[in-house]
């Protein structure tokens, strides 16, 4: 098949982050230069699930042909203009199965979830997609790895504000999330100091505490709670009380990952599990705030940054990585390579087997970067470490 006949599919899945639109623009621009056709898949893997080969009316809702004009200005904003979802076609709840897939062989009373990977494979063939570019975190890319094993040519781009995709030092969205968090933390000092309170700042970060750790490290926060290390709230309260008394402005601050938990306690989560087995997180900051207030007698400012961390335009570092990951992706496709994920290792751009993401978990290096008794960043060695320390 000649270059001018090659068709690429691209999708964004999971949480939105700054840098997605610049990556999409770069992919489409480079593809146009090579004479490739690009099909944008709407709403992540959800678009390939909802695409009905027999119903042309469904096509406009699930796919979007992309050219240079379509993406000309998208890099000026955050988020993803293709939209996103947490759909996993290999694990679809009965209530989420599209009507057209509820055929004679569909059993709505069957226990568990339904695997529509066969349907997705037929849709990719129907669309004539020669290579698929999924942009996502470990959940989105875990299904990409499944499709790769099914024979679909995949070149993946890692993105997540948690920076926790295994195999790469950096994921699109992390720098902007930390930059936002540091700025908001510094702004919050004015209220915390004015009212002489303890400020509890809750940050996104399900299983990896890197956003809490690095934000606290860069903002000079008194204490930081991370997902990897359960904390003793009585000890934390005593430390914050000392911090407050030792501050001339009589206030203290602590960051906390949404996935953090107390010693012997549970992660605070709610709602139904998504297609990747995750419930929504959030609220551990409220629990900590109430406990610290009771133990110290101090008034509390509780601030949940959540979506503010990943809203708006990307910073310069995320722009740089988004552009470079996209360019490297197009280079790999041009060379006929697949089953790869673009990555950064030791400060150098590389590409690795997409199966790498399934071989481990990326978590904070507690022994090197965290004081488990003082609940704060403790960077012991910097020489030889990557830019974001691990």
């Amino acid at each position: 098949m000649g270059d001018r006949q090659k068709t690429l599919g691209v999708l964004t899945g999971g949480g939105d982050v700054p840098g997605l639109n610049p990556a999409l623009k770069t992919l489409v621009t480079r593809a146009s230069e090579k004479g490739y056709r690009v099909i944008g898949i709407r709403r992540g893997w959800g678009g390939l699930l909802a695409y009905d080969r027999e119903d042309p009316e469904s096509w406009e809702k699930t796919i979007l042909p992309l050219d240079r004009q379509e993406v000309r200005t998208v890099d000026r904003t955050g988020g993803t203009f293709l939209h996103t979802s947490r759909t996993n076609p290999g694990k679809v709840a009965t209530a989420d199965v599209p009507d057209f897939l509820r055929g004679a062989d569909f059993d709505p009373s069957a226990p568990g979830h339904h695997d529509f990977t066969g349907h997705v494979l037929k849709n990719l063939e129907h669309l004539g997609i020669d290579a698929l570019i999924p942009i996502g975190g470990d959940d989105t890319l875990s299904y990409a790895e499944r499709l790769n094993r099914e024979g679909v040519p995949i070149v993946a781009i890692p993105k997540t504000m948690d920076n926790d995709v295994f195999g790469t030092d950096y994921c699109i969205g992390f720098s902007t999330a930390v930059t936002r968090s540091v700025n908001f933390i510094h702004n919050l000092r004015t209220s915390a100091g004015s009212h002489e309170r303890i400020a509890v700042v809750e940050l996104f970060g399900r299983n990896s505490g890197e956003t809490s750790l690095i934000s606290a490290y860069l903002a000079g926060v008194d204490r930081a709670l991370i997902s990897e290390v359960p904390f003793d709230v009585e000890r934390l309260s005593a430390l914050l009380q000392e911090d407050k008394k030792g501050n001339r402005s009589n206030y203290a601050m602590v960051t906390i990952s949404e996935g953090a938990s107390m010693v012997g306690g549970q992660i605070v989560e709610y709602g139904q599990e998504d297609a990747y087995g995750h419930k929504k997180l959030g609220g551990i900051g409220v629990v900590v705030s109430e406990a610290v207030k009771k133990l110290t007698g101090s008034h509390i400012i509780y601030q949940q940054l959540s979506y503010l961390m990943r809203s708006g335009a990307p910073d310069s570092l995320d722009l740089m990585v988004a552009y470079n990951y996209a360019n490297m992706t197009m280079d790999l496709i041009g060379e006929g390579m697949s089953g790869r994920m673009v990555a950064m290792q030791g400060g150098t751009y590389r590409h690795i087997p997409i199966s790498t993401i399934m071989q481990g978990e990326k978590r904070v290096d507690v022994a090197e970067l965290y004081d488990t008794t003082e609940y704060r960043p403790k960077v012991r060695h910097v020489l030889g470490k990557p830019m974001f320390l691990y």
Side-chain angles (χ1 to χ4, degrees):
M1 180 174 290
D3 283 354
R4 289 197 174 275
Q5 296 174 299
K6 183 169 284 189
T7 298
L8 310 181
V10 60
L11 61 86
T12 54
D16 63 291
V17 298
L20 291 174
N21 283 339
L24 291 169
K25 178 178 179 176
T26 303
L27 290 169
V28 174
T29 301
R30 283 289 305 280
S32 176
E33 293 170 354
K34 290 176 174 288
Y36 300 163
R37 175 172 170 251
V38 182
I39 295 176
I41 298 164
R42 298 180 185 271
R43 302 175 189 89
W45 297 120
L48 287 174
L49 179 67
Y51 182 85
D52 183 352
R53 298 182 298 278
E54 307 299 323
D55 180 14
E57 289 187 5
S58 77
W59 300 353
E60 185 177 348
K61 299 177 183 178
T62 54
I63 64 170
L64 177 66
L66 299 177
D67 57 25
R68 296 176 77 118
Q69 276 301 111
E70 190 73 38
V71 300
R72 188 177 67 84
T73 62
V74 299
D75 57 325
R76 302 172 191 175
T77 58
T80 167
F81 76 95
L82 285 179
H83 305 295
T84 185
S85 74
R86 298 189 183 276
T87 302
N88 179 352
K91 188 180 178 183
V92 183
T94 297
D96 297 328
V97 175
D99 290 340
F100 73 92
L101 290 175
R102 296 172 181 264
D105 59 346
F106 176 73
D107 182 4
S109 64
H113 295 76
H114 310 273
D115 187 351
F116 287 101
T117 299
H119 167 69
V120 168
L121 294 172
K122 290 177 182 177
N123 283 347
L124 291 171
E125 182 179 3
H126 186 261
L127 291 166
I129 290 176
D130 300 297
L132 185 60
I133 306 169
I135 310 176
D138 48 6
D139 286 338
T140 298
L141 299 189
S142 69
Y143 189 70
E145 193 272 339
R146 161 81 185 275
L147 290 183
N148 178 67
R149 286 186 279 113
E150 298 283 353
V152 177
I154 298 282
V155 180
I157 298 177
K159 72 85 207 160
T160 165
M161 54 166 290
D162 295 341
N163 204 36
D164 61 353
V165 174
F166 187 77
T168 181
D169 294 342
Y170 192 81
C171 303
I172 296 172
F174 178 66
S175 176
T176 307
V178 170
T179 299
R180 295 266 194 281
S181 300
V182 170
N183 289 339
F184 284 127
I185 288 168
H186 282 320
N187 289 342
L188 196 60
R189 290 182 185 279
T190 60
S191 292
S194 296
H195 294 277
E196 302 175 273
R197 296 183 178 182
I198 293 174
V200 178
V201 183
E202 183 177 333
L203 307 176
F204 272 155
R206 175 176 293 275
N207 297 314
S208 173
E210 188 172 3
T211 49
S212 175
L213 179 83
I214 300 299
S215 297
Y217 178 57
L218 298 180
V221 171
D222 300 297
R223 309 290 163 177
L225 305 176
I226 61 177
S227 307
E228 293 82 352
V229 179
F231 60 93
D232 181 332
V233 73
E234 292 187 359
R235 176 166 181 76
L236 172 68
S237 298
L239 291 170
L240 288 171
Q241 205 162 21
E242 290 177 11
D243 296 331
K244 189 170 182 287
K245 290 178 180 177
N247 184 340
R248 288 184 178 180
S249 294
N250 197 33
Y251 76 93
M253 304 189 80
V254 56
T255 61
I256 180 169
S257 300
E258 62 175 353
S261 61
M262 295 184 191
V263 174
Q266 299 293 318
I267 294 173
V268 177
E269 53 186 2
Y270 61 94
Q272 296 294 316
E273 289 186 353
D274 65 18
Y276 297 95
H278 303 314
K279 292 183 178 182
K280 288 187 177 296
L281 290 179
I284 183 63
V286 172
V287 175
V288 170
S289 296
E290 292 175 350
V292 170
K293 181 178 180 179
K294 182 177 180 180
L295 290 166
T296 65
S298 173
H299 289 290
I300 306 294
I301 291 178
Y302 165 60
Q303 185 64 58
Q304 189 178 37
L305 293 187
S306 58
Y307 290 95
L308 290 173
M309 296 171 62
R310 65 186 190 202
S311 298
D315 66 12
S316 295
L317 181 58
D318 272 325
L319 277 175
M320 175 75 76
V321 177
Y323 289 146
N324 291 343
Y325 275 176
N327 275 314
M328 186 160 47
T329 296
M330 292 306 303
D331 288 341
L332 292 174
I333 289 173
E335 295 167 9
M337 300 189 71
S338 66
R340 312 301 291 179
M341 181 180 79
V342 297
M344 189 179 294
Q345 294 180 340
T348 302
Y349 289 101
R350 302 181 184 277
H351 57 90
I352 60 178
I354 191 170
S355 59
T356 304
I357 68 170
M358 309 297 290
Q359 296 172 5
E361 295 181 335
K362 185 166 182 278
R363 301 290 182 261
V364 167
D365 185 345
V366 174
E368 281 288 305
L369 302 174
Y370 190 68
D371 189 321
T372 58
T373 59
E374 297 296 315
Y375 303 140
R376 60 174 34 150
K378 186 175 182 180
V379 179
R380 292 165 173 82
H381 306 98
V382 173
L383 185 65
K385 289 190 180 298
M387 181 168 57
F388 283 103
L389 301 179
Y390 72 100

